[in-house]
């Protein structure tokens, strides 16, 4: 059974029980009050009839018609008949309800049906004056006040009104329950669709329900969707970063092999060492791929060791030299002093690799790319400068964002993640990067790395 039908069933049963119990309790209390009222009314009429009868028997001034009219005024439920006798047994008046207010009802058959099987009793009252018996009063009434016509009419009216009330409440409840259950069912169906969309990886925008429990479920699903999207974004960014990092050593290896085939490069011990360094870089990248098992956990295999900057930069430049020469780009190292720093050689070398390959892509043939470094206070400052196309000042604050590409780089192959990797690698080893660029003249990237970083 659907929730909609269950809700309607429970609502209707609750309303029915409520109306029935309320009618029974209210009917019992009102009926009890009505019976007490009828009893007091009966006693009042009997007292008045007795007083009138005493006066009539004492004075003998009333005709039979006057007696009947006076006594008829006291034919009030449950009294059905009044007879007045003199002391000698002569009947002075005999008046009954059948000849007065009951006639209309009798014609419709209502009284006959309601009074069918109702028993009657006669109250005999002796009329005395100054201690002398002067007559007798015979009052016929229903044997029980609760069986009187008025009481039964009242009960019939009460039952009829209760049924009418139940019918009205039932209809209103059904209409209200239908719309409420329809709204609840709609909210639940939308929530189910929201869960399906999340499962299928589709973006879902579900209007929030006014029902607290359903709203809580919807908010939980929205939070789950946000976490999944963040996890998916993190995984994609991680994959793109690793793929981008593999391009540099692979490109260097391919360039050197092509140079060897063309006879441009000889496999000297230095060349072999350069190729071995690129293979080590590829091995490190493949090792980091194990972090894809949990994309929410940041890959951070930072290892701080003593690094000689001159040798590190010469190794990087040696690996890229053939590639730069092929494009007719001049690549120069302007500094040669030996400086030892405590850092992660992999993270730092990847940052420098990306800066140089970025300069390679955005500098036209015949241009120049230079690398320099120096100690400034407690910082190692590495500068990579090119004579390339430059970066628009308005776009410079965003060039380190993942997947961002400037307006003047749309025709150049790339995915916009290289400078993001530079910033992230430097962050892991405590460094920062700064940019100065002029459109059409080139760019200068400055890396600042604390030498006492542990």
């Amino acid at each position: 059974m659907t929730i909609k039908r269950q809700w309607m069933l429970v609502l209707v049963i609750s309303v029915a029980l409520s109306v029935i119990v309320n009618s029974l309790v209210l009917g019992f209390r009102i009926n009890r009050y009505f019976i007490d009222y009828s009893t007091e009314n009966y006693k009042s009429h009997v007292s008045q009839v007795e007083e009138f009868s005493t006066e009539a028997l004492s004075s003998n001034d009333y005709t039979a018609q006057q007696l009947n009219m006076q006594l008829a005024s006291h034919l009030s439920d449950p009294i059905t008949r009044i007879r007045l006798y003199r002391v000698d047994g002569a009947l002075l008046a005999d008046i009954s309800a059948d000849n007065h207010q009951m006639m209309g009802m009798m014609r419709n058959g209502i009284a006959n049906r309601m009074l069918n099987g109702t028993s009657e009793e006669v109250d005999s009252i002796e009329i005395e004056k100054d201690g002398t018996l002067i007559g007798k009063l015979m009052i016929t009434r229903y044997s029980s006040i609760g069986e009187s016509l008025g009481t039964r009419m009242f009960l019939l009216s009460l039952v009829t009104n209760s049924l009418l009330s139940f019918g009205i409440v039932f209809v209103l409840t059904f209409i209200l329950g239908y719309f409420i259950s329809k709204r609840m069912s709609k909210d639940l169906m939308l929530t189910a669709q929201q869960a399906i969309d999340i499962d299928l990886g589709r973006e879902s925008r579900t209007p929030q329900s006014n029902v607290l429990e359903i709203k809580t479920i919807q908010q939980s699903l929205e939070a789950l969707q946000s976490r999944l999207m963040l996890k998916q974004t993190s995984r994609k960014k991680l994959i793109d970063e690793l793929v981008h990092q593999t391009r540099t050593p692979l490109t260097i290896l391919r360039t050197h092999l092509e140079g060897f085939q063309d006879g441009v490069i000889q496999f000297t011990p230095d060349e072999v060492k350069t190729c071995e360094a690129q293979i080590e870089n590829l091995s490190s990248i493949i090792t980091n791929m194990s972090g894809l098992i949990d994309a929410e956990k940041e890959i951070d295999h930072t290892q701080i060791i003593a690094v000689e900057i001159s040798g590190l930069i010469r190794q990087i430049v040696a690996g890229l030299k053939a590639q730069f020469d092929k494009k007719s780009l001049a690549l120069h190292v302007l500094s040669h002093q030996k400086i030892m720093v405590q850092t992660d050689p992999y993270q730092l070398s990847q940052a420098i690799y990306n800066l140089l390959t970025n300069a390679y892509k955005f500098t036209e043939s015949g241009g120049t790319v230079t690398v320099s470094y120096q100690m400034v206070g407690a910082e190692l400052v590495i500068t990579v400068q090119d004579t390339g196309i430059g970066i628009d000042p308005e776009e410079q604050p965003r060039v380190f964002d993942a997947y961002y590409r400037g307006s003047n780089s749309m025709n150049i192959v790339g995915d916009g993640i290289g400078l993001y990797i530079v910033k992230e690698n430097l962050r892991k080893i405590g460094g920062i990067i700064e940019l100065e660029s002029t459109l059409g003249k080139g760019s200068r990237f400055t890396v600042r790395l604390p030498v006492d970083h542990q």
Side-chain angles (χ1 to χ4, degrees):
M1 185 180 294
T2 62
I3 292 181
K4 182 178 180 180
R5 291 185 177 180
Q6 292 183 34
W7 164 258
M8 290 294 297
L9 181 62
V10 170
L11 191 62
V12 170
I13 292 176
S14 299
V15 170
L17 290 175
S18 176
V19 172
I20 291 173
V21 171
N22 181 70
S23 298
L24 290 175
V25 173
L26 187 62
F28 174 78
R29 294 184 64 85
I30 293 178
N31 186 52
R32 182 72 266 167
Y33 173 80
F34 185 79
I35 291 175
D36 291 341
Y37 169 78
S38 298
T39 302
E40 291 297 324
N41 186 57
Y42 169 73
K43 291 178 180 180
S44 175
H45 278 287
V46 169
S47 176
Q48 293 176 15
V49 170
E50 185 178 356
E51 183 180 349
F52 171 73
S53 298
T54 301
E55 180 184 351
L57 290 172
S58 300
S59 63
N60 293 322
D61 292 336
Y62 292 91
T63 65
Q65 184 178 4
Q66 290 175 330
L67 287 174
N68 288 337
M69 290 180 61
Q70 288 292 332
L71 292 176
S73 65
H74 294 285
L75 286 176
S76 177
D77 195 48
I79 300 174
T80 62
R81 185 179 182 183
I82 301 176
R83 289 170 291 175
L84 180 62
Y85 296 89
R86 284 203 303 260
V87 70
D88 58 4
L91 180 62
L92 297 179
D94 186 359
I95 185 72
S96 66
D98 294 340
N99 300 320
H100 293 83
Q101 73 266 29
M102 296 289 293
M103 292 305 294
M105 295 181 64
M106 290 289 287
R107 284 193 295 268
N108 294 329
I110 298 176
N112 278 336
R113 290 193 299 271
M114 296 193 65
L115 297 177
N116 185 31
T118 301
S119 60
E120 295 180 335
E121 292 183 359
V122 178
D123 292 334
S124 178
I125 303 172
E126 294 181 346
I127 307 299
E128 296 180 352
K129 186 175 182 181
D130 298 331
T132 303
L133 181 64
I134 61 175
K136 181 177 288 189
L137 183 65
M138 306 293 289
I139 299 177
T140 303
R141 61 174 177 79
Y142 297 114
S143 59
S144 172
I145 300 296
E147 295 179 357
S148 67
L149 177 63
T151 303
R152 292 193 173 196
M153 289 291 290
F154 170 76
L155 290 176
L156 176 62
S157 177
L158 184 64
V159 172
T160 303
N161 290 334
S162 296
L163 291 176
L164 180 61
S165 299
F166 174 75
I168 294 174
V169 172
F170 177 81
V171 172
L172 293 177
T173 301
F174 183 84
I175 295 174
L176 180 62
Y178 174 78
F179 284 106
I180 294 177
S181 60
K182 184 178 180 180
R183 180 61 183 272
M184 289 179 61
S185 298
K186 180 181 178 182
D187 290 344
L188 288 172
M189 292 300 294
L190 289 174
T191 304
Q193 185 61 48
Q194 181 182 6
I196 294 173
D197 290 341
I198 293 174
D199 182 53
L200 297 178
R202 296 196 296 253
E203 187 174 356
S204 176
R205 289 290 182 270
T206 303
Q208 289 200 343
S209 171
N210 293 325
V211 181
L212 179 60
E213 290 78 6
I214 299 178
K215 183 177 180 180
T216 301
I217 295 174
Q218 291 176 340
Q219 290 175 343
S220 298
L221 288 174
E222 289 176 358
L224 174 62
Q225 184 180 27
S226 298
R227 289 196 299 271
L228 290 176
M229 290 180 65
L230 288 174
K231 187 174 183 178
Q232 183 179 9
T233 301
S234 176
R235 186 180 295 275
K236 183 180 185 304
K237 188 180 294 183
L238 178 60
I239 292 175
D240 290 344
E241 181 178 343
L242 293 175
V243 170
H244 185 276
Q245 289 180 3
T246 60
R247 289 175 182 169
T248 298
L250 287 174
T251 300
I252 293 174
L253 289 173
R254 185 182 64 184
T255 302
H256 279 254
L257 288 175
E258 290 175 351
F260 174 72
Q261 290 177 342
D262 295 339
V264 177
I265 298 176
Q266 300 295 323
F267 267 109
T268 63
D270 289 338
E271 291 294 332
V272 173
K273 188 175 180 181
T274 298
C275 292
E276 288 178 345
Q278 306 313 312
I279 294 173
E280 289 179 1
N281 288 338
L282 285 172
S283 299
S284 298
I285 294 171
I286 294 172
T287 300
N288 286 342
M289 287 184 179
S290 63
L292 288 174
I293 298 175
D294 184 4
E296 290 184 341
K297 182 178 180 181
E298 183 181 4
I299 295 178
D300 186 7
H301 298 299
T302 303
Q303 295 181 352
I304 305 301
I305 61 175
V307 178
E308 201 280 299
I309 296 301
S310 177
L312 180 68
I313 292 179
R314 283 201 308 272
Q315 182 181 353
I316 295 171
V317 170
L320 295 172
K321 191 68 169 60
Q323 186 177 350
F324 274 70
D325 289 343
K326 190 173 182 180
K327 191 178 178 181
S328 300
L329 289 179
L331 176 58
H332 302 296
V333 179
L334 303 182
S335 303
H336 303 285
Q337 65 269 34
K338 292 186 177 182
I339 300 176
M340 297 295 296
V341 297
Q342 294 288 330
T343 188
D344 184 314
Y346 174 76
Q347 303 285 0
L348 181 58
S349 63
Q350 283 296 317
I352 298 174
Y353 268 124
N354 278 283
L355 289 176
L356 289 175
T357 54
N358 188 74
Y360 169 84
K361 287 192 296 182
F362 295 104
T363 303
E364 297 178 355
S365 298
T368 302
V369 177
T370 60
V371 182
S372 62
Y373 59 90
Q374 61 179 331
M375 290 295 302
V376 179
E379 289 182 333
L380 170 65
V381 178
I382 302 175
T383 303
V384 176
Q385 188 166 350
D386 61 61
T387 59
I389 61 177
I391 303 172
D392 191 305
E394 294 183 358
E395 297 178 345
Q396 291 180 19
R398 300 187 58 190
V399 295
F400 296 102
D401 295 341
Y403 308 111
Y404 179 79
R405 304 194 68 199
S407 58
N408 61 346
S409 63
M410 295 304 175
N411 297 325
I412 300 176
V413 177
D415 47 23
I417 199 172
L419 293 180
Y420 167 78
I421 294 175
V422 172
K423 183 185 70 173
E424 288 299 303
N425 282 11
L426 291 176
R427 178 185 62 80
K428 293 175 183 178
I429 58 177
I432 61 172
I433 185 167
E434 299 171 351
L435 167 63
E436 297 177 38
S437 183
T438 303
L439 275 176
K441 294 185 178 181
S443 303
R444 180 170 63 186
F445 292 89
T446 301
V447 174
R448 298 184 179 276
L449 183 66
V451 295
D452 57 345
H453 178 70
Q454 296 296 326

